[in-house]
Amino acid sequence: MADIFISYKREDRKTTKALADALEKRRFSTWWDTRLATGESYDDVIETALDSAQCVIVLWSQAAVKSRWVRTEAGEGLEREILVLVFIEDVKPPLAFRRIHTASLVGWEYALEGPLIDALVRDVKRIVATSGVAQKRKV
């Protein structure tokens, strides 16, 4: 499965695609719900993708903070200690996530390289590297 699971709200699809492209350019594999095939069960596919991901990125926007799906997916990442939170709009995240440092892509113009995306990629690399070590220890 994918290295990175991206949680987002459908209204933020353009930003999500740009982020996935930037991460894939850096040789990460990503999963977001465009990979669902006709006839597949959302619950089953999403659960499998979340369980196998080494990093969960949550994109916070006005729509995302209201979404039960996004909150649930963020909770999974938090529980597994593989969560990377990202503001894509100036919003107040749900209470359970306010104590966690959150990266910002507010104002990002979808450049595949630059200070905003480069800083986020460094954080993701650290989580993926740590997650891989943690997975090996559990075996």
Side-chain angles (χ1 to χ4, degrees):
M1 291 302 286
D3 300 319
I4 301 165
F5 180 99
I6 303 175
S7 179
Y8 74 106
K9 193 69 173 122
R10 180 111 13 231
E11 293 86 336
D12 305 315
R13 185 181 189 94
K14 182 177 178 182
T15 301
T16 305
K17 180 175 181 347
L19 177 60
D21 290 346
L23 292 166
E24 289 170 4
K25 180 180 184 240
R26 289 169 170 88
R27 302 190 191 274
F28 289 106
S29 59
T30 62
W31 189 96
W32 49 304
D33 66 3
T34 59
R35 302 266 163 80
L36 284 167
T38 302
E40 289 184 315
S41 166
Y42 286 102
D43 292 4
D44 294 339
V45 174
I46 289 172
E47 187 172 355
T48 299
L50 265 171
D51 287 348
S52 64
Q54 295 179 320
C55 179
V56 174
I57 296 177
V58 175
L59 302 180
W60 289 131
S61 66
Q62 289 291 340
V65 298
K66 297 174 185 172
S67 169
R68 289 186 183 177
W69 275 103
V70 174
R71 288 174 183 228
T72 299
E73 293 162 355
E76 286 292 314
L78 179 62
E79 185 175 311
R80 291 182 51 211
E81 299 179 1
I82 61 169
L83 182 62
V84 173
L85 299 174
V86 180
F87 289 121
I88 60 172
E89 294 179 357
D90 288 320
V91 296
K92 188 175 185 178
L95 182 61
F97 305 101
R98 290 185 198 156
R99 60 184 172 80
I100 301 167
H101 176 70
T102 303
S104 178
L105 287 180
V106 175
W108 179 50
E109 296 180 1
Y110 310 129
L112 295 178
E113 296 181 16
L116 291 176
I117 194 68
D118 291 345
L120 177 60
V121 168
R122 279 192 301 273
D123 292 340
V124 169
K125 281 183 181 178
R126 180 182 47 79
I127 295 290
V128 168
T130 303
S131 175
V133 170
Q135 292 289 2
K136 288 178 184 173
R137 286 185 192 144
K138 289 179 182 179
V139 173

